[in-house]
């Protein structure tokens, strides 16, 4: 057994709010640490992720659940209209590769899409998901 430091609930709430505001272009963990200038940012992010309020899309970047739900809907719309490419999602979201590539990798891991070279297509399971 190793004691676990307790996360700051006020910091958790502030971080979740900040990520909600950031939408699909959230700051990295390092950027959040610099912005908040507090210790425990990483711990607070992990605590919020454990509750499902935010999701770690990559090791250093967390997204709000609402932002990912919106991205999922865009992927579903795009996939139902044809193949999913970086360019079609860039046109649909206005996001740069910096954010789109990790988001597309997240959609692959979450079972929403399957990658086939430079394109993706919806999984059979995803075709049955209704958009919000």
């Amino acid at each position: 057994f190793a004691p676990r430091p307790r996360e700051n609930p006020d910091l958790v709430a502030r971080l979740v709010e900040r990520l909600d505001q950031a939408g699909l272009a959230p700051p990295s963990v390092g950027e959040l640490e610099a912005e908040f200038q507090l210790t425990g940012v990483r711990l607070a992010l992990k605590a919020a992720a454990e509750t499902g309020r935010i999701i770690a899309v990559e090791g250093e970047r967390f997204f709000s659940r609402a932002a990912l739900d919106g991205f999922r809907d865009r992927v579903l719309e795009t996939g139902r209209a044809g193949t999913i490419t970086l360019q079609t999602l860039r046109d649909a979201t206005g996001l740069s590769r910096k954010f789109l590539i990790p988001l597309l990798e997240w959609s692959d891991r979450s079972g929403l899409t399957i990658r086939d070279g430079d394109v993706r297509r919806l999984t059979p399971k995803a075709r049955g998901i209704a958009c919000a």
Side-chain angles (χ1 to χ4, degrees):
F1 171 78
R4 181 176 171 221
R6 189 178 164 134
E7 67 279 346
N8 177 338
D10 292 333
L11 179 58
V12 170
R14 289 174 55 203
L15 287 166
V16 169
E17 181 180 344
R18 175 67 175 93
L19 293 176
D20 279 338
Q21 292 169 351
L24 290 173
S28 68
V29 172
E31 292 166 335
L32 287 167
E33 288 172 336
E35 180 179 331
F36 283 83
Q37 295 186 351
L38 295 170
T39 59
V41 168
R42 188 176 299 276
L43 179 64
L45 288 167
K46 287 181 180 182
E50 287 173 4
T51 66
R53 295 168 71 187
I54 61 174
I55 297 169
V57 168
E58 56 182 336
E60 291 296 308
R61 202 167 306 272
F62 291 77
F63 287 72
S64 74
R65 177 166 293 286
L68 287 177
D69 287 347
F71 181 75
R72 183 202 65 208
D73 289 347
R74 292 279 176 99
V75 169
L76 289 170
E77 290 169 11
T78 303
R80 288 183 178 126
T83 57
I84 302 162
T85 65
L86 190 64
Q87 187 60 49
T88 57
L89 281 179
R90 183 182 299 151
D91 293 344
T93 63
L95 293 173
S96 69
R97 292 174 59 89
K98 172 182 175 179
F99 297 104
L100 277 176
I101 290 174
L103 285 166
L104 284 169
E105 291 171 351
W106 168 81
S107 71
D108 295 340
R109 286 190 312 273
S110 65
L112 188 61
T113 57
I114 298 171
R115 183 176 179 181
D116 184 16
D118 289 338
V119 300
R120 285 175 169 80
R121 55 187 164 75
L122 295 178
T123 64
K125 176 183 134 188
R127 286 189 200 107
I129 298 172
C131 294

